[in-house]
Amino acid sequence: MSIWFTEKQTENFGITMKINKTYVSEQTEFQKLDMVETEEFGNMLILDGMVMTTQKDEFVYHEMVAHVPLFTHPNPKNVLVVGGGDGGVIREVLKHPSVEKAVLVEIDGKVIEYSKQYLPEIAGDLENPRVEVKVDDGFMHIATSNNEYDVIMVDSTEPVGPAAKLFEKGFYEGISKALKEDGIFVAQTDNPWFTPELISQVFSDVSEIFPITRLYTANIPTYPSGLWTFTIGSKKHDPLEVPADRFHDIETKYWTPQLHTASFALPKFVSDLI
Ligand code: AG3
């Protein structure tokens, strides 16, 4: 007998994976958390029935969330990750020597705990002395931060459940206030096939607050449609005008200096959304 997991990405469409083992299946204070071993993609974290990350393809998302804004900023020192309790974005952030402090604010301590246990190569850097982990509400953390961060990364779930308020204009206003005067933020903004309105809405909200707003994409096979978007809001530095000598050497599997720029080249049906 074999067991298969399906994430129904829409009412009528889904992605299916063969499951070898279920390590955890638990209702936390905030959401349903499953940690499983898949045959094809290694261990996988699922929240509220949605694929969050897998050992095989996690590098795409985590590298692209971290390196695009971090290389856009000339000297990022203080960095905040909202969500991202699996630690993948933090691992990539720490590859930038200018970063003195990386704060992770994750609402659900169970995500951190089980990621350390079952996704060690993703979560391993959460113990690094440059990292401060807070189990707290990211929305509240943003609301009470002023002029503190160079770069903020929103590594949230989808706009349902605990993350719904992280896709609202008021949250982006809070982010702007929490950033220094030349700060940059990035948020994962879902996919253009099944959630085109979300991309348009977020882009329009962010562009009312930030002088520079940009959309870029990456290919993530286990996420809905595989074509994932990220929205950048920046007060001063344009990700499309990064001087070539700012791209220092780092070890990556997806991000390259060429791809940094190329990821902003959008298919027509995607650029029509913004
Ligand atoms: N956060 C964004 C995952 C969104 C996936 N959506 C879905 N499967 N419907 C990923 C967390 C990784 N650190």
Side-chain angles (χ1 to χ4, degrees):
M1 187 186 80
S2 55
I3 295 174
W4 292 70
F5 161 78
T6 298
E7 175 183 339
K8 273 182 75 184
Q9 300 175 337
T10 74
E11 275 309 302
N12 314 299
F13 185 84
I15 185 172
T16 298
M17 280 174 260
K18 189 173 165 193
I19 305 300
N20 295 335
K21 246 183 251 160
T22 299
Y23 299 112
V24 179
S25 184
E26 163 177 329
Q27 182 67 43
T28 74
E29 194 186 335
F30 300 98
Q31 54 208 339
K32 177 84 195 308
L33 186 159
D34 292 278
M35 186 72 79
V36 298
E37 182 192 88
T38 72
E39 176 69 35
E40 198 64 46
F41 280 88
N43 290 354
M44 173 167 82
L45 171 67
I46 306 166
L47 294 177
D48 285 338
M50 294 176 281
V51 174
M52 287 299 121
T53 203
T54 81
Q55 282 177 315
K56 190 167 172 179
D57 71 349
E58 56 89 6
F59 67 92
V60 182
Y61 179 92
H62 294 134
E63 289 182 15
M64 290 303 279
V65 169
H67 301 315
V68 174
L70 285 169
F71 276 117
T72 299
H73 195 287
N75 188 23
K77 287 187 182 148
N78 287 326
V79 171
L80 171 68
V81 178
V82 176
D86 53 69
V89 176
I90 288 286
R91 181 193 63 205
E92 297 304 316
V93 166
L94 295 177
K95 292 179 181 172
H96 292 255
S98 69
V99 173
E100 292 165 2
K101 190 168 159 205
V103 180
L104 177 93
V105 182
E106 162 65 55
I107 198 165
D108 193 340
K110 292 283 180 187
V111 172
I112 301 173
E113 179 187 330
Y114 291 126
S115 298
K116 283 183 177 168
Q117 202 172 343
Y118 298 104
L119 305 168
E121 58 296 290
I122 304 180
D125 285 322
L126 289 173
E127 312 289 339
N128 187 292
R130 286 151 75 204
V131 177
E132 185 186 337
V133 176
K134 294 187 176 176
V135 178
D136 215 341
D137 183 343
F139 190 87
M140 290 310 293
H141 184 88
I142 286 290
T144 54
S145 302
N146 280 303
N147 195 24
E148 265 170 64
Y149 296 105
D150 299 303
V151 178
I152 296 176
M153 292 139 193
V154 185
D155 179 10
S156 65
T157 55
E158 307 248 343
V160 284
K165 54 188 193 291
L166 306 185
F167 289 82
E168 286 168 10
K169 193 170 176 194
F171 180 63
Y172 305 127
E173 282 162 351
I175 287 190
S176 173
K177 187 174 61 67
L179 285 169
K180 293 186 186 161
E181 75 286 346
D182 66 343
I184 302 174
F185 96 99
V186 66
Q188 72 89 0
T189 41
D190 223 301
N191 77 89
W193 289 97
F194 308 137
T195 58
E197 303 82 7
L198 176 92
I199 293 171
S200 299
Q201 184 63 52
V202 171
F203 196 90
S204 124
D205 288 348
V206 172
S207 53
E208 280 169 26
I209 303 166
F210 288 84
I212 300 163
T213 308
R214 304 265 183 238
L215 190 80
Y216 64 99
T217 66
N219 176 256
I220 305 172
T222 58
Y223 286 179
S225 90
L227 179 59
W228 211 251
T229 73
F230 305 86
T231 302
I232 279 197
S234 177
K235 294 189 182 179
K236 185 167 170 203
H237 308 290
D238 188 339
L240 287 172
E241 278 162 30
V242 177
D245 62 358
R246 189 173 299 156
F247 295 121
H248 57 80
D249 258 2
I250 52 167
E251 211 181 292
T252 57
K253 288 197 273 184
Y254 191 89
W255 183 93
T256 66
Q258 292 74 19
L259 194 72
H260 174 104
T261 305
S263 65
F264 292 90
L266 302 173
K268 180 75 166 57
F269 83 104
V270 181
S271 64
D272 283 348
L273 297 174
I274 64 177

